């Protein structure tokens, strides 16, 4: 299986997940009011994913590392899962950089 964006409704809103070839979710979007908004979010991920400066490296309240992908305006366009280590987080970022720009969208 190849990497792809899974676009789906979430209640009355829309969201997407970027899934790696293994099927694992590597990035989860914010919620959007419209399907078009979520599609625009996917386009923003494709544009911003290759740029290291767009990744904000954080730790959650339990101390686990994760990352946030931001647009040029600083708004969050996707959040990762929590990782077991900083190096695992960096590997996750590299996966998103590699697969996001060319990943197709599926509903």
């Amino acid at each position: 299986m190849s990497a792809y964006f899974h676009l789906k409704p979430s209640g009355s809103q829309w969201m997407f997940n970027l899934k790696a070839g293994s099927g694992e979710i590597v990035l989860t979007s914010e919620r959007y009011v419209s399907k078009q908004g979520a599609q625009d979010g996917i386009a923003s991920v494709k544009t911003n994913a290759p740029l290291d400066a767009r990744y904000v490296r954080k730790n959650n309240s339990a101390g686990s590392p994760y990352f946030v992908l931001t647009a040029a305006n600083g708004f969050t366009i996707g959040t990762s899962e929590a990782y077991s280590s900083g190096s695992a987080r960096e590997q996750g970022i590299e996966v998103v950089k590699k697969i996001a720009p060319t990943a197709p969208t599926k509903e």
Side-chain angles (χ1 to χ4, degrees):
M1 180 188 321
S2 298
Y4 66 96
F5 287 96
H6 180 208
L7 177 65
K8 61 185 181 176
S10 177
S12 63
Q13 298 180 317
W14 287 83
M15 65 168 294
F16 60 85
N17 291 309
L18 175 58
K19 293 189 173 189
S22 65
E24 180 182 358
I25 295 171
V26 292
L27 192 74
T28 300
S29 75
E30 302 296 305
R31 302 235 180 322
Y32 294 88
V33 175
S34 68
K35 182 178 182 180
Q36 183 60 54
Q39 290 169 323
D40 292 346
I42 290 170
S44 184
V45 169
K46 289 182 174 200
T47 298
N48 291 287
L51 308 172
D52 192 66
R54 298 287 191 255
Y55 292 88
V56 180
R57 291 147 173 93
K58 297 184 171 191
N59 292 312
N60 65 20
S61 59
S64 298
Y66 72 101
F67 64 85
V68 174
L69 177 62
T70 61
N73 61 9
F75 289 145
T76 297
I77 49 178
T79 304
S80 75
E81 65 179 354
Y83 289 94
S84 60
S85 67
S87 62
R89 173 181 57 202
E90 293 305 314
Q91 290 174 349
I93 289 170
E94 291 306 313
V95 167
V96 173
K97 285 180 181 179
K98 180 180 177 185
I99 67 174
T102 59
T105 301
K106 298 180 182 180
E107 288 187 48

